[in-house]
Amino acid sequence: MRNCCLLLGALLAAGSLSLSTQEVPQTGDSCRDCHSILEDRLGEATQKFVDDIHSARGLSCAACHGGDPRQEEADKAMDRARGFLGTPSRAQIPPLCARCHADAAFMRAYNPSLRTDQLAQYWTSVHGRRLRQGDARVAVCTDCHSVHDIRPATSPLSSVHPLKIPATCGRCHADAGYMKPYKIPTDQLAAYQASVHFKTLEAGDLAAPTCATCHGNHGAAPPGVASVERVCGTCHVFQEQLFDLSPHKQPWESLGMPACSTCHSNHRIEATGDFLVGAGERAVCVICHTEGDGGWTTAQQMHTRLTELDAALTQATDLLGRAERAGMEVSEGRLIEAQAREKLIKARVDVHAVDTQRVEEGVQGGLKTTAEARSAAEEALAELAFRRKGLGLSLLAIGFVVFSLWLLIRHIEGGKNQSREAS
Ligand code: HEC
Ligand code: HEC
Ligand code: HEC
Ligand code: HEC
Ligand code: HEC
Ligand code: HEC
Ligand code: HEC
Ligand code: HEC
Ligand code: HEC
C-alpha cells in the first residue's frame, strides 16, 4: 500500500496521471486498463499491443510480465511476490519468450505447424553465444521481432517480413558506431542493397535471399546447411555441383577459400555475363591466374567460344525479327531459337567446372541449333524475296495488260472519230 501511494503521488506530481479526470476502463485485465491511461513508455505498450499476435491469441501483459491482472491496485497487480517480473533485462528476454516458444505441447494448442526450436537454434548463433558470454548488445528476440507489436512473419508489417529484414538487421550491422567494439565490417546492408538479390526481392520475387535466408533466422546457418559458405547451393544447385567437380574444389578448400563468394562476393553479388570469364578487365579468372598458365588459357578459350555463340545467336534473333516484322510466319524458327538460348545458358553454367571440353561441347551444340534457327530465318526471308519478285512480275504483267487495253481503246476510239469525220 505504501508503494502504491508513493507511486500515485509521484505520478500525480509529474502530471502524467490524473485520476480525477480519467475513468479507468474495466475489462477484467487491470494491466491493460491502468496502462491504457498512462503516458509515454508506460502507455505506449498498450496502444501497440492492439495489433500484436499475442493479443490476437488472447494472451495479455501478464503472460510475459507476470503479476496478477485481477488486482486493480498497482502494487498488488505488480507484486513481485505474485510473480511480477517488471521489465525483463535483455539477457532475460530469450528464456522469457522461450517459456512458451520452446514448449511444444503448449504451442501445439495454438499452432501445430509452428517450430519450437528458436531458442535452441539461437544459442548456436554468434548472437546467442555472445549473449551467454555476457554481451547484451547482440540481437535478442525483441530486436528482430519488436516489442508489443509482434506479428506473424507472413504479415507484410512484420519486422521479419522478407522485405523488412535488411533494415531490421541493418539497424545494428550498418551502424558503425554501435558495431565499433567488434571490428567487423559494417557494409553488409549497403552491399546487399546493390546486389541482384536485393533488386530481385524489391521487384516482388520473394524467392531471392535476404540476410536471414543466408544466415538463418535464429541459428548460425539455415537448417540443413553446414555453413553459411555453402548456402548458395541450396538455390543455385547446378553451379554448386559443377564447382565440386572443378579443379578449384580441393586447393581452395585446403586454403580455406569459400566456393562461390571468392568469385561473386557474398553481399554485393552482381549480374553476371561472359565478361566475367576470360582475361578482360572485369574477368575474375585473372585475379589469380597469370598469362600462360592453364587457368588463363582455359579462361580465354571459354570466353572466345561463349561470345561466338552469343554473337551467332544475336544474329539469328535479328534475322528472325526482320522476317517477323515483314509478316512472315516464323514460329518454328522462334522455337529453335529458344532451344539455342537454353544451350547458351547451360554452357554459361558449365563455366563453373572450369573445364574447356565441357563448355566446348555445349557451345558446339548451341552453334548447331543456332544455325538451324538462322536457316529458318533465312528461308523465311528468301520466301519473302521470292514473293516480292512474284508480286513485282505480276504487277508488271498487269500494267502491261492495262497499257495494251488503253492503247486498244484509244485505237478503237480514234477509228470511230475518223469515220464520224468522214461521214
Ligand atoms: C493501477 C495502475 C496499474 C496497474 C493495475 C498495473 N500497472 Fe504496471 N505500472 C503502473 C505504473 C504507474 C508504472 C510505473 C511505475 C513503476 O515502474 O512502478 C508501471 C510499470 C509497469 C512496468 C514497467 C516496470 C519497470 O520496472 O520498468 C511493467 C512491465 C508493468 N507495469 C506491467 C504491468 C502488468 C503486467 C500489470 C498487470 C499484471 C500491470 N502493470 C498493472 C501502473 C499500473
Ligand atoms: C510477448 C511478451 C510481452 C507481452 C505480451 C507484453 N510485453 Fe511488455 N515488454 C516485453 C519485453 C520483452 C519488454 C522489454 C523490452 C526491451 O527491453 O526492449 C517489455 C517492456 C515493457 C515495458 C517497459 C517499457 C520501457 O520502455 O521501459 C512496459 C511498461 C511494458 N512492457 C508493459 C506492457 C503492457 C502494459 C503489456 C500489455 C498491454 C505488455 N507489456 C505486454 C514483453 C511483453
Ligand atoms: C505466454 C506464452 C508466450 C510467450 C511468453 C511468448 N509468446 Fe510468442 N506466441 C505465443 C503464441 C500462443 C503465439 C501464436 C501462435 C499462432 O497461433 O500462430 C505466438 C506467436 C508469436 C510469433 C508469430 C509466429 C508466426 O510467425 O506465426 C512470434 C514472432 C512470437 N510469438 C515471438 C515472441 C517473442 C519475441 C516473445 C518474447 C518477447 C514471445 N513470443 C513470447 C505464445 C507466447
Ligand atoms: C536475428 C534476428 C532474430 C532473432 C534474434 C530472433 N528471431 Fe525469430 N525470426 C527471425 C526471422 C527472420 C524469422 C523468420 C521469418 C520468415 O519465416 O520469413 C523468425 C521467425 C520466428 C518465429 C516464427 C516461426 C519460425 O521459427 O519461423 C517465431 C515463433 C520466432 N521467430 C520466435 C523467436 C524467439 C522466441 C526468439 C528468441 C529466442 C527469436 N525469434 C529470435 C529473426 C529473429
Ligand atoms: C541489436 C543489434 C543487432 C541486430 C538487430 C542484429 N545483429 Fe547480428 N550481431 C550483432 C552484434 C553486436 C554481433 C557480434 C559481432 C561479433 O561478435 O563479431 C552480431 C553478430 C552477427 C553475425 C556474426 C558476425 C561474425 O562475427 O562473423 C552475423 C552473421 C549476424 N550478426 C547477422 C545478423 C542478421 C542476419 C541479423 C538480422 C536477421 C542481425 N544480425 C541482427 C548485433 C545485431
Ligand atoms: C546470399 C547470401 C547472403 C546474404 C543475402 C547476406 N549474407 Fe551476410 N554473409 C554471407 C556469407 C557467405 C558471409 C561470409 C561467411 C561468414 O562470415 O559466415 C557473410 C558474412 C556476414 C557477416 C560477417 C562479417 C562480414 O561482413 O564478413 C555479417 C555481419 C553479415 N554477413 C550480415 C549480413 C546482413 C546484415 C545481411 C543483410 C543486409 C546479409 N549478411 C546478407 C552471405 C549472405
Ligand atoms: C534463396 C535462394 C538463393 C540463395 C540462397 C542464393 N541465391 Fe543467388 N539468386 C537467387 C535468385 C532468385 C536470383 C535472381 C534470379 C536469377 O537470376 O536466377 C539470384 C541471382 C544470383 C546471381 C546473378 C545471376 C545472373 O543471372 O546474373 C548470382 C551470381 C548469384 N545469385 C549468386 C549467389 C551466391 C554466390 C550465393 C551465396 C553467397 C547465392 N546466390 C545465394 C536465389 C538465391
Ligand atoms: C572461378 C570463379 C567462379 C566461382 C568459384 C563461381 N562462379 Fe558463378 N560464375 C562465374 C562466371 C565467370 C560466371 C559467368 C558465366 C558467363 O556468363 O559466361 C558465373 C555465373 C554465375 C551465375 C549466373 C548463371 C550462370 O551460371 O551463368 C550464378 C547463379 C552463379 N554463377 C552462381 C555461383 C555459385 C552458387 C557458385 C558456388 C557454388 C559460383 N557461382 C562459383 C564464376 C564463378
Ligand atoms: C581465387 C583465385 C582463383 C580464381 C579467381 C580462379 N582460379 Fe583457377 N585455380 C586457382 C587455383 C589455386 C588452382 C589450383 C592450382 C593450379 O593448378 O594452378 C586453379 C586451377 C585452375 C584450373 C586447372 C589448372 C590447370 O592448369 O589447368 C583451371 C582450368 C582454372 N583454374 C580455370 C579458372 C577459370 C576459368 C577461372 C575464372 C572463371 C579461374 N580459374 C579463377 C585459383 C583461382
Side-chain angles (χ1 to χ4, degrees):
M1 196 62 215
R2 204 184 117 251
N3 275 351
C4 179
C5 295
L6 277 176
L7 181 75
L8 288 178
L11 284 164
L12 288 167
S16 63
L17 185 65
S18 153
L19 291 179
S20 55
T21 53
Q22 265 178 301
E23 276 290 301
V24 176
Q26 301 293 314
T27 63
D29 181 350
S30 69
C31 322
R32 281 176 109 151
D33 290 347
C34 184
H35 276 265
S36 68
I37 58 163
L38 300 179
E39 286 176 352
D40 300 328
R41 63 182 188 91
L42 295 174
E44 214 176 70
T46 334
Q47 291 150 25
K48 283 197 203 158
F49 198 60
V50 176
D51 297 315
D52 190 294
I53 173 80
H54 300 98
S55 176
R57 292 293 181 271
L59 299 169
S60 188
C61 321
C64 286
H65 290 289
D68 187 349
R70 291 163 306 178
Q71 304 295 325
E72 278 169 26
E73 287 165 50
D75 64 342
K76 285 199 186 126
M78 297 188 291
D79 184 356
R80 294 206 176 246
R82 294 172 202 254
F84 181 65
L85 296 172
T87 303
S89 72
R90 290 178 61 79
Q92 283 172 330
I93 291 175
L96 169 71
C97 307
R99 269 201 331 222
C100 299
H101 283 282
D103 183 340
F106 175 84
M107 291 310 294
R108 206 177 301 122
Y110 290 90
N111 184 347
S113 65
L114 210 60
R115 303 173 68 106
T116 48
D117 64 347
Q118 293 90 7
L119 183 66
Q121 285 288 321
Y122 176 75
W123 294 132
T124 69
S125 72
V126 174
H127 295 143
R129 291 205 306 267
R130 291 201 68 108
L131 187 72
R132 273 205 162 144
Q133 291 160 5
D135 180 356
R137 295 160 60 86
V138 294
V140 297
C141 317
T142 44
D143 290 308
C144 295
H145 289 287
S146 87
V147 197
H148 303 134
D149 57 354
I150 299 176
R151 295 162 200 255
T154 45
S155 159
L157 293 172
S158 162
S159 53
V160 295
H161 184 270
L163 288 167
K164 298 276 184 65
I165 286 176
T168 297
C169 309
R171 197 165 55 83
C172 298
H173 283 282
D175 182 338
Y178 191 82
M179 296 305 289
K180 200 161 175 230
Y182 303 99
K183 302 190 171 55
I184 61 169
T186 48
D187 66 341
Q188 298 91 3
L189 179 63
Y192 172 72
Q193 282 173 336
S195 73
V196 270
H197 288 148
F198 180 67
K199 284 172 191 153
T200 309
L201 184 77
E202 247 193 338
D205 182 354
L206 301 186
T210 71
C211 318
T213 324
C214 290
H215 290 286
N217 298 337
H218 303 113
V225 176
S227 83
V228 177
E229 306 292 2
R230 298 294 286 180
V231 74
C232 321
T234 55
C235 299
H236 303 292
V237 180
F238 295 123
Q239 282 85 356
E240 186 181 59
Q241 283 171 358
L242 292 164
F243 175 82
D244 287 349
L245 294 175
S246 79
H248 287 141
K249 164 99 170 158
Q250 291 311 329
W252 288 19
E253 222 165 57
S254 54
L255 290 168
M257 279 161 40
C260 316
S261 41
T262 297
C263 288
H264 291 289
S265 93
N266 50 7
H267 298 125
R268 195 183 294 273
I269 294 171
E270 290 177 356
T272 62
D274 298 335
F275 61 82
L276 215 54
V277 59
E281 229 171 67
R282 296 165 70 195
V284 281
C285 318
V286 289
I287 296 171
C288 304
H289 292 286
T290 48
E291 194 157 3
D293 81 8
W296 176 286
T297 315
T298 301
Q300 286 278 48
Q301 283 168 346
M302 293 198 300
H303 177 79
T304 310
R305 295 298 276 159
L306 285 167
T307 44
E308 267 172 34
L309 174 54
D310 188 47
L313 189 55
T314 307
Q315 278 185 359
T317 305
D318 286 352
L319 286 177
L320 281 164
R322 258 171 60 193
E324 213 166 41
R325 281 192 299 278
M328 300 301 289
E329 220 290 308
V330 290
S331 57
E332 184 71 14
R334 284 292 189 199
L335 223 63
I336 304 172
E337 181 212 5
Q339 285 163 6
R341 191 161 303 284
E342 280 293 308
K343 290 185 179 170
L344 173 58
I345 290 169
K346 192 175 165 296
R348 283 176 173 152
V349 176
D350 281 343
V351 165
H352 293 90
V354 295
D355 173 354
T356 326
Q357 194 52 36
R358 197 182 178 107
V359 171
E360 182 56 30
E361 277 165 25
V363 167
Q364 275 176 17
L367 283 170
K368 200 164 151 262
T369 314
T370 303
E372 286 167 24
R374 192 191 167 98
S375 6
E378 281 168 350
E379 269 168 35
L381 287 170
E383 168 80 16
L384 180 68
F386 179 74
R387 285 196 203 158
R388 282 195 178 142
K389 220 189 270 166
L391 184 69
L393 282 177
S394 29
L395 279 179
L396 218 62
I398 293 167
F400 180 72
V401 171
V402 170
F403 184 64
S404 314
L405 280 173
W406 179 72
L407 280 182
L408 187 66
I409 291 165
R410 261 181 66 123
H411 180 72
I412 295 170
E413 287 192 340
K416 275 188 191 158
N417 285 350
Q418 266 175 20
S419 50
R420 214 179 288 137
E421 270 164 30
S423 64

